Amino acid sequence: MTPAVDGLRVARAGPLALLQDAGRFGVRRLGVTQGGPVDLHGWAWANHLVGNAWGTPALEVTFGGLELVAERDLVLAVAGANLSATLEGEPLAGWRSLSVKAGQRLAFGAPVNGLRAYLAVAGGFAAEPVLGSVACVVREGLGGHDGKGHRLAEGDTLQVTPCRTSAGSEAPREARVDYRGPAELALLPGAQISEFSGASLFRAFNADWRVDDRADRMGVRLTGPRLHCRMTSMISEGIGLGAVQVPPDGQPIALLNDRQTIGGYPRLGALTPLACSRLAQCLPGQEVRLKAVSTEQALAAYRRFRAGFA
């Protein structure tokens, strides 16, 4: 096994930069959540562009403000949101791989298109797995570059696994998402959907919703017409990725990767993994719409997505 070496040093820490592999699975019975990239699409493309296998750890950068200095020559790629990334002060092209020389500085600025960018290096970032994964969950103090669930801080060094590869790979145009317009989010109806009034169901799938400023890796609150559910109480049950809960105020909450493992609010159903990815790139105030899809439609879309990274 190739030993890890110093790859990138943090010269300035942004508000939230976390190391994420595909996620932590098989431990939710212990109350431990999933973690992993909230935008699976951007994370997967960043890794793919530098030749990494599915599941290789990459860096999730939220909002920007992060500056990194290369400790050695690297091949890297940035995908997902446009956070005004620069290399030595010059604009850095997203959705493609490029070479970086030792001593060069990579910086992420203000969001232009989307909210979260993904940085992958050829060979992958290296960290000690915790419960089978390096996925960083700050709330639980698990994973990340130090194994303790910490976001990157000034002076931290990211380890990499050296790998010989060439730069120049580029994502096709259809893979590059424009995150700025209204987002259509595919939702699998289910759970307690029959307990909602007919008028509420009509509003749920025909109204424009807005992303609230109460949004993070745990979940995103949507504001719009009030939804009414006939259930007044229920026993808490397991919560999967994308579950859309409706608390008593009638405003839905879509739960993402760092969600709690159980919940007691009625659910309209669940967003598909790719819909979660799209929602995770929405800024506060952005419009979204819910679109009901069948299990067959959701599986077909996800299989097409994964086939591109086989």
Side-chain angles (χ1 to χ4, degrees), residues 28-306:
R28 268 176 270 178
R29 69 186 186 281
L30 305 176
V32 177
T33 197
Q34 171 182 340
V38 287
D39 177 7
L40 194 66
H41 177 88
W43 169 87
W45 269 107
N47 269 321
H48 185 67
L49 289 168
V50 293
N52 292 342
W54 183 271
T56 302
L59 193 62
E60 180 179 276
V61 183
T62 304
F63 290 120
L66 177 72
E67 291 187 13
L68 303 167
V69 177
E71 297 287 282
R72 62 188 58 250
D73 294 355
L74 299 168
V75 173
L76 56 80
V78 176
N82 178 353
L83 300 185
S84 308
T86 60
L87 180 63
E88 289 295 288
E90 296 296 323
L92 184 150
W95 302 96
R96 64 179 303 170
S97 61
L98 67 152
S99 296
V100 174
K101 300 296 183 183
Q104 289 189 313
R105 184 175 294 247
L106 171 66
F108 293 87
V112 173
N113 181 6
L115 187 61
R116 295 175 168 95
Y118 290 86
L119 170 65
V121 298
F125 291 106
E128 192 67 30
V130 178
L131 295 176
S133 171
V134 305
C136 185
V137 181
V138 175
R139 186 183 73 253
E140 294 179 348
L142 296 176
H145 66 290
D146 62 355
K148 299 177 181 179
H150 291 150
R151 66 194 71 190
L152 290 188
E154 185 176 334
D156 285 340
T157 299
L158 288 166
Q159 300 275 297
V160 300
T161 303
C163 175
R164 291 182 178 271
T165 188
S166 57
S169 296
E170 192 169 350
R173 185 174 299 275
E174 59 270 20
R176 308 177 189 201
V177 184
D178 187 347
Y179 304 109
R180 290 169 291 193
E184 185 175 82
L185 307 177
L187 181 141
L188 284 161
Q192 293 79 37
I193 194 167
S194 62
E195 298 296 329
F196 289 86
S197 67
S200 287
L201 292 179
F202 180 85
R203 290 193 292 267
F205 294 102
N206 289 278
D208 291 328
W209 298 92
R210 289 193 179 274
V211 173
D212 193 72
D213 57 5
R214 291 167 290 180
D216 55 21
R217 285 180 46 87
M218 184 174 179
V220 177
R221 184 180 292 269
L222 303 178
T223 59
R226 181 173 180 175
L227 304 182
H228 174 71
C229 182
R230 289 182 284 268
M231 296 183 70
T232 56
S233 64
M234 59 178 286
I235 297 173
S236 292
E237 56 189 19
I239 297 293
L241 177 66
V244 179
Q245 289 188 324
V246 182
D249 67 1
Q251 303 295 278
I253 303 171
L255 298 175
L256 301 179
N257 298 59
D258 290 1
R259 66 197 179 276
Q260 71 274 24
T261 56
I262 61 172
Y265 292 135
R267 288 175 285 160
L268 286 172
L271 299 178
T272 68
L274 294 178
C276 290
S277 294
R278 182 66 185 84
L279 179 60
Q281 292 287 11
C282 290
L283 291 164
Q286 198 163 339
E287 286 186 3
V288 301
R289 275 208 167 205
L290 302 177
K291 178 186 177 182
V293 297
S294 67
T295 302
E296 292 75 19
Q297 289 173 312
L299 279 172
Y302 188 69
R303 285 168 177 158
R304 286 194 299 270
F305 167 71
R306 285 299 302 269

Side-chain angles (χ1 to χ4, degrees), residues 2-18:
T2 305
V5 295
D6 290 352
L8 292 166
R9 174 173 50 82
V10 180
R12 183 163 68 94
L16 191 64
L18 309 172

